[in-house]
Amino acid sequence: MAASIPPAWTTGTAPNSFAALPAGRLGTLGGQLMRLLNRAQQREIAQLLGPLDELDVLEIGHGPGVLLGMLARTARHVVGVDPSREMRALAIRAHANAIAAGRLDVRPGDAGATGLPDSAVDVVVGVNNVAIWPDLDAGVGELHRVLRPGGRLVLSWHGGERSSRLTRGLVLPEDRLQRIEDALRARFPEVRRTQTRRCTVFEARTSPAGPPVPPG
Ligand SMILES: C[S@@+](CC[C@H](N)C(=O)[O-])C[C@H]1O[C@@H](n2cnc3c(N)ncnc32)[C@H](O)[C@@H]1O
């Protein structure tokens, strides 16, 4: 486990799950487990995103990198950021070819500090980490900052129409779900909450680009 994990905005206490900020050998083991346990969720989110041709994509909190691989199959370019060194190592090992081909970068970062410049990407996606961010509004602000006009944010958490027995205990109460929706509405003109089979999903879009300003 990491030496110190900041309190999560959902509970006000440090998440004690070894999945929240995996570190050391136990963290690597946790990442390998996540790879198996959360694969169906990643598939549902990849399907919801659809083809990403010609789009630049950021995934935050990618963990072992299952979704990164799916994204890199169609996107123009993918950046993955995760605060855990062990998760970055697993993702780098799993996707060495995409990295060598220049289609994927894996870097240190988190929802509140992605390290990307303004308006850098068309799509941001985060699966199973929004509830463990230390500061929801700071994270939403950062992800809005790095999205281009007309860009799309997809945040997903355990839930959905039929969550598995293993993840049922992680489903967020309605007041926390509403808090995510409110934080998104404060920044994005278009927000909706949907359910896949295993995920509760928040989708938001930035305002489209205005018409070009005539010179002079
Ligand atoms: C439960 S795992 C989920 C991993 C993967 N997305 C999945 O669904 O299998 C949570 C991941 O979020 C990362 N994480 C922790 N704090 C974060 C933060 N503030 N912003 C973004 N990611 C964070 C952790 O390092 C970990 O890889």
Side-chain angles (χ1 to χ4, degrees), residues 40-76:
Q41 293 184 6
Q42 322 289 338
R43 251 194 240 116
E44 289 175 9
I45 298 304
Q47 198 172 1
L48 178 138
L49 285 168
L52 299 165
D53 311 71
E54 302 307 315
L55 298 179
D56 296 321
V57 180
L58 166 66
E59 183 182 358
I60 52 159
H62 52 70
V66 174
L67 182 59
L68 280 181
M70 298 176 186
L71 301 172
R73 258 179 236 147
T74 62
R76 176 167 52 200

Side-chain angles (χ1 to χ4, degrees), residues 19-22 34 38 42 59-64 82-84 87 110-111 127-129 132-134:
L21 197 60
M34 269 184 248
N38 296 341
Q42 322 289 338
E59 183 182 358
I60 52 159
H62 52 70
D82 197 296
S84 158
M87 294 304 99
D110 60 38
V127 179
N128 297 333
N129 59 68
I132 57 173
W133 298 355

